[in-house]
Amino acid sequence: MAPVVDVHTHIYPPAYVSLLRSRKDVPYMRTFPDNPSAGERLVILPSEDAATSTARGRPIGPEYYEEEEKIKFMDKHHIDISVISLANPWLDWCDKGEAAEAARMINDDVEAVCARHAGRLYAFGTLPLSAGAEAVVEEIKRLQALKYSRGVIIGTSGLGAGLDDPAMNPIWNALQETKQLVFLHPHYGLPASVYGDRANDYGHVLPLALGFPLETTIAITRAILSGVFDHYPNLEILLAHSGGTLPFLAGRIESCIAHDGHLKHAGKTEGRRSIWEILKSNIYLDAVVYAEPGLKAAIEASGMDRCMFGTDHPFFPPLEDEGDEWVSVKTNAEAVGKAFGTDEAAREAVMGGNAVRVLRLG
Amino acid sequence: MAPVVDVHTHIYPPAYVSLLRSRKDVPYMRTFPDNPSAGERLVILPSEDAATSTARGRPIGPEYYEEEEKIKFMDKHHIDISVISLANPWLDWCDKGEAAEAARMINDDVEAVCARHAGRLYAFGTLPLSAGAEAVVEEIKRLQALKYSRGVIIGTSGLGAGLDDPAMNPIWNALQETKQLVFLHPHYGLPASVYGDRANDYGHVLPLALGFPLETTIAITRAILSGVFDHYPNLEILLAHSGGTLPFLAGRIESCIAHDGHLKHAGKTEGRRSIWEILKSNIYLDAVVYAEPGLKAAIEASGMDRCMFGTDHPFFPPLEDEGDEWVSVKTNAEAVGKAFGTDEAAREAVMGGNAVRVLRLG
């Protein structure tokens, strides 16, 4: 039986926690004197930085930064291997002069964590994107030599101007050359105006449930349209949250490209690779979509050999400590089970076999 | 064999064309003196109002406003019945004082079109939303008496502040009471900033392929979160483009609601109807998603008895007159065929049987 592997699971290692605790603007970690019972809070999105203590960020505890908590969580949920990554917002906000050093410290921290749990933990590295392409390429090369590193995690802003920015080319090139997978993860969401005047009535639902996956969808579509996968045909990207909504919208995007008179007139569509081809040869999707209709669309779009289980731990914990399985984890695992019915081999592939093969684990 | 029914097909009747030709800002119709060979252009989105003639809006011809062109298109594509609706941006931009009269003129125009092709054409009516709820309710009641009217089409802005605006309540109430289906259709897209600096390099792809369905997703989610379907449990909404991305994201939205401490703390989640329940009892989805993965997700989310074929005619015409079937139509029809394999009864239901039953056609 293939091991169960979690490819979408985050940690804030000590080097990063120190940075967050020293900050006063989003992203930051602190307790609030007006409400000490709310405990230490982690505020990572501007939309979470609200006035009431129950809405402000989220309670943060050892599950965010202590490696033993990750292992306990894995044991409780029968997860054999986790590929841990720094959670958003990574170092996107970091001063240019400090980002390279911070990335090295974080990656070394995480490497040490993995070494202490050899065989159970691997990692996606953090890049100093705010320091520019040269520093990023240097860290990509350094990561290649780390024993437990299996790729990198990046946000949708790239070097600041998105993934269709030509300044990203040396980075794509280095990732393709060193065969390191890119885990693309959202953070920025959408402008608050799209949620209307009553958004605060809905807690964090709109930015988390919609802002995140829609951001990912836009980012990867911009990358595709700009020709990233035409120029770097061996680049491999794992998309968070089952691709945002890319599996659902791929047909519409293809149709809009095919029917765009301006693109055709400008000769921009000749020889391009279709989104379906890219989905089946460059893109991997996690299985973090919380229901069968989305998961089946993901599997159908990119193939059952390209979809990999994840939990998004330590986010989406139970609201009360219920002492057993996290509902968020169970929901995703059950969706995988239901999607495959009696095809146990396919279920095992998505639950871990694909990750073992793609990321060379164990 | 059930008739083939197109529930997503637009027309600009004469009363509306006159309005568009008299305008100088988006939305408008005109020829450009600097490029008369580009012909009359229809510019409906600010993002389409670009400097170059090939990117500016779209060429507009008789297929947009002549009823005989609709019938010819239907005959060519073996469509037995079309439920025509005014295309975006409807009367959202119309002066408050003129909207009610304009809506009446347009609806009477369209009713006359349907009467001239009895049995082949039905309609979704236009509402004078910029005139306020009272005028809208009045037109909803008037539409109920029109022989060929089968519901209304609305955009995502509602009365101006979205579908979660409490000022919409009298409108939802009137629609529920008169049992008229709401066809929810996007128009506004997303703020241009999300597409980055290179968006113009991609023709109209980003706003059309992503902006439209993401807008629909946000709008319907806001309506659900605000309790519209709790307060109006018999309200029925047909979502354009297979729900935007709602079928794919429904699981994530449910999970985010269930894990939101603020919502729970405020007691806002008690007794609410789940999105799955709403999808299966209040929502219908068209089959305009251009590929099998998305279509299957739509069918799985709301049920094969709630999904209805559409074309989006006269939008997405072939780039050159190829003399036969439109690719955009063929792509959607083939997706329905592939989604059902040999289950001919299910295929016929989506291609027309569901629409006949739900909209009481023929």
Side-chain angles (χ1 to χ4, degrees):
Chain A
M1 188 156 152
V4 172
V5 181
D6 182 355
V7 300
H8 188 156
T9 181
H10 300 296
I11 196 163
Y12 291 116
Y16 194 76
V17 169
S18 301
L19 285 170
L20 286 187
R21 285 194 174 130
S22 71
R23 290 176 51 80
K24 297 213 165 92
D25 296 318
V26 174
Y28 67 91
M29 267 169 70
R30 59 170 291 204
T31 50
F32 295 93
D34 57 337
N35 195 340
S37 69
E40 189 170 25
R41 313 284 296 181
L42 168 67
V43 187
I44 51 179
L45 297 171
S47 63
E48 297 175 333
D49 200 16
T52 60
S53 61
T54 52
R56 195 166 218 154
R58 69 216 75 224
I60 187 168
E63 69 278 14
Y64 281 82
Y65 44 78
E66 285 188 8
E67 60 198 77
E68 290 306 333
E69 293 296 319
K70 183 68 77 188
I71 300 292
K72 269 195 233 165
F73 168 82
M74 290 166 63
D75 290 343
K76 191 192 252 181
H77 294 86
H78 314 291
I79 293 165
D80 299 296
I81 301 172
S82 286
V83 186
I84 56 178
S85 51
L86 184 64
N88 50 303
W90 316 285
L91 293 170
D92 285 9
W93 47 271
C94 198
D95 279 352
K96 183 181 165 71
E98 292 163 21
E101 173 62 17
R104 281 192 296 271
M105 279 174 60
I106 290 164
N107 289 330
D108 288 345
D109 252 19
V110 169
E111 180 74 5
V113 170
C114 293
R116 284 194 288 274
H117 305 275
R120 296 210 65 191
L121 297 183
Y122 293 85
F124 293 126
T126 299
L127 297 178
L129 286 153
S130 64
E134 204 176 319
V136 173
V137 169
E138 203 171 304
E139 189 63 12
I140 289 171
K141 288 180 182 162
R142 206 182 70 88
L143 281 167
Q144 200 188 8
L146 298 188
K147 187 171 175 187
Y148 300 101
S149 182
R150 288 297 184 273
V152 299
I153 185 167
I154 65 168
T156 61
S157 68
L159 291 162
L163 304 185
D164 53 350
D165 177 3
M168 288 289 289
N169 287 344
I171 298 173
W172 301 131
N173 186 57
L175 290 164
Q176 176 176 274
E177 278 198 349
T178 60
K179 295 185 177 154
Q180 292 185 73
L181 186 87
V182 184
F183 181 23
L184 177 64
H185 193 288
H187 167 69
Y188 296 93
L190 297 175
S193 63
V194 303
Y195 303 129
D197 296 336
R198 282 160 293 276
N200 287 336
D201 292 350
Y202 317 136
H204 301 158
V205 174
L206 289 170
L208 280 181
L210 303 187
F212 266 29
L214 304 189
E215 173 193 354
T216 304
T217 309
I218 295 167
I220 188 67
T221 306
R222 283 171 54 180
I224 292 169
L225 288 170
S226 74
V228 166
F229 297 98
D230 299 310
H231 301 131
Y232 304 99
N234 298 316
L235 184 66
E236 300 205 304
I237 297 200
L238 167 64
L239 300 180
H241 314 118
S242 300
T245 64
L246 186 67
F248 191 85
L249 289 179
R252 182 172 174 91
I253 300 167
E254 270 297 307
S255 180
C256 283
I257 295 172
H259 286 90
D260 196 289
H262 182 65
L263 283 185
K264 184 171 181 174
H265 185 80
K268 285 183 183 170
T269 54
E270 277 165 45
R272 75 180 178 91
R273 299 173 69 208
S274 81
I275 295 185
W276 300 112
E277 186 187 336
I278 293 165
L279 270 163
K280 287 186 191 298
S281 52
N282 299 86
I283 287 177
Y284 298 97
L285 302 171
D286 72 22
V288 183
V289 68
Y290 304 93
E292 216 184 325
L295 183 63
K296 280 186 177 171
I299 291 166
E300 182 133 7
S302 73
M304 70 171 72
D305 56 334
R306 307 183 71 81
C307 192
M308 308 187 231
F309 178 68
T311 64
D312 220 344
H313 179 261
F315 298 95
F316 304 106
L319 288 187
E320 273 108 32
D321 187 7
E322 292 147 17
D324 54 4
E325 264 193 302
W326 285 26
V327 172
S328 58
V329 178
K330 198 175 164 182
T331 306
N332 280 314
E334 283 182 354
V336 176
K338 282 188 207 157
F340 289 115
T342 57
D343 186 349
E344 184 57 22
R347 194 194 65 82
E348 282 188 29
V350 171
M351 290 303 292
N354 291 338
V356 168
R357 184 189 76 248
V358 172
L359 297 168
R360 309 174 310 282
L361 308 180
Chain B
M1 188 157 152
V4 172
V5 181
D6 182 355
V7 300
H8 188 156
T9 181
H10 299 296
I11 196 164
Y12 291 116
Y16 194 75
V17 169
S18 301
L19 285 170
L20 286 188
R21 283 192 175 132
S22 70
R23 288 177 52 79
K24 296 213 165 91
D25 297 318
V26 173
Y28 65 92
M29 270 170 69
R30 59 170 291 204
T31 51
F32 295 94
D34 57 337
N35 195 338
S37 69
E40 189 169 26
R41 313 285 294 184
L42 168 67
V43 186
I44 52 178
L45 297 171
S47 63
E48 297 175 333
D49 200 19
T52 60
S53 60
T54 53
R56 194 166 217 153
R58 69 217 74 225
I60 188 168
E63 69 278 16
Y64 282 81
Y65 44 79
E66 285 189 6
E67 61 198 75
E68 289 306 332
E69 293 295 319
K70 183 68 76 187
I71 299 293
K72 268 195 230 166
F73 167 83
M74 290 165 63
D75 290 343
K76 193 193 248 183
H77 294 86
H78 313 291
I79 294 164
D80 298 298
I81 301 173
S82 287
V83 186
I84 56 178
S85 51
L86 184 64
N88 52 303
W90 316 284
L91 293 170
D92 286 9
W93 48 271
C94 198
D95 280 352
K96 184 181 164 70
E98 292 163 20
E101 173 63 19
R104 282 192 294 272
M105 277 175 61
I106 290 163
N107 289 330
D108 289 345
D109 251 21
V110 169
E111 180 73 6
V113 169
C114 293
R116 283 192 290 272
H117 305 275
R120 296 209 67 190
L121 298 183
Y122 293 86
F124 293 127
T126 300
L127 297 178
L129 286 154
S130 63
E134 203 176 321
V136 173
V137 169
E138 200 170 309
E139 188 64 13
I140 288 170
K141 289 180 181 161
R142 206 184 69 89
L143 281 166
Q144 199 188 8
L146 298 188
K147 186 171 177 189
Y148 299 101
S149 183
R150 287 298 183 272
V152 299
I153 185 168
I154 67 169
T156 62
S157 68
L159 291 161
L163 304 186
D164 53 353
D165 178 2
M168 288 289 290
N169 286 345
I171 298 173
W172 302 131
N173 186 57
L175 290 164
Q176 176 176 273
E177 278 198 350
T178 60
K179 295 186 178 156
Q180 292 184 72
L181 186 87
V182 184
F183 180 21
L184 177 63
H185 192 288
H187 167 68
Y188 296 93
L190 297 175
S193 63
V194 304
Y195 302 129
D197 297 336
R198 282 161 292 277
N200 286 336
D201 292 351
Y202 317 136
H204 302 156
V205 173
L206 289 170
L208 279 182
L210 303 187
F212 266 29
L214 304 190
E215 173 194 353
T216 304
T217 308
I218 295 167
I220 188 68
T221 305
R222 284 171 55 180
I224 291 168
L225 288 170
S226 74
V228 166
F229 297 98
D230 300 309
H231 301 131
Y232 304 98
N234 298 316
L235 184 66
E236 300 206 301
I237 296 201
L238 166 65
L239 299 180
H241 313 119
S242 300
T245 64
L246 186 67
F248 191 85
L249 290 179
R252 183 173 174 88
I253 300 166
E254 270 298 306
S255 181
C256 284
I257 294 171
H259 286 89
D260 195 288
H262 182 67
L263 282 185
K264 185 173 180 173
H265 186 80
K268 286 184 183 170
T269 54
E270 278 165 44
R272 73 179 180 93
R273 300 173 67 208
S274 81
I275 296 186
W276 300 113
E277 187 187 335
I278 293 166
L279 270 163
K280 288 188 191 296
S281 52
N282 299 87
I283 287 177
Y284 298 97
L285 303 171
D286 72 23
V288 183
V289 67
Y290 304 95
E292 218 183 325
L295 183 63
K296 280 185 177 172
I299 290 165
E300 184 132 7
S302 73
M304 72 170 69
D305 56 334
R306 307 183 71 79
C307 192
M308 309 187 231
F309 178 69
T311 64
D312 221 345
H313 179 262
F315 297 95
F316 304 107
L319 288 185
E320 273 110 32
D321 186 8
E322 291 148 17
D324 55 3
E325 264 191 303
W326 284 26
V327 173
S328 57
V329 178
K330 198 173 164 182
T331 305
N332 280 314
E334 282 181 354
V336 176
K338 282 187 207 159
F340 289 114
T342 56
D343 186 348
E344 183 58 22
R347 194 194 66 81
E348 281 188 31
V350 171
M351 291 303 291
N354 291 339
V356 167
R357 185 189 74 249
V358 172
L359 298 168
R360 310 175 309 280
L361 308 180

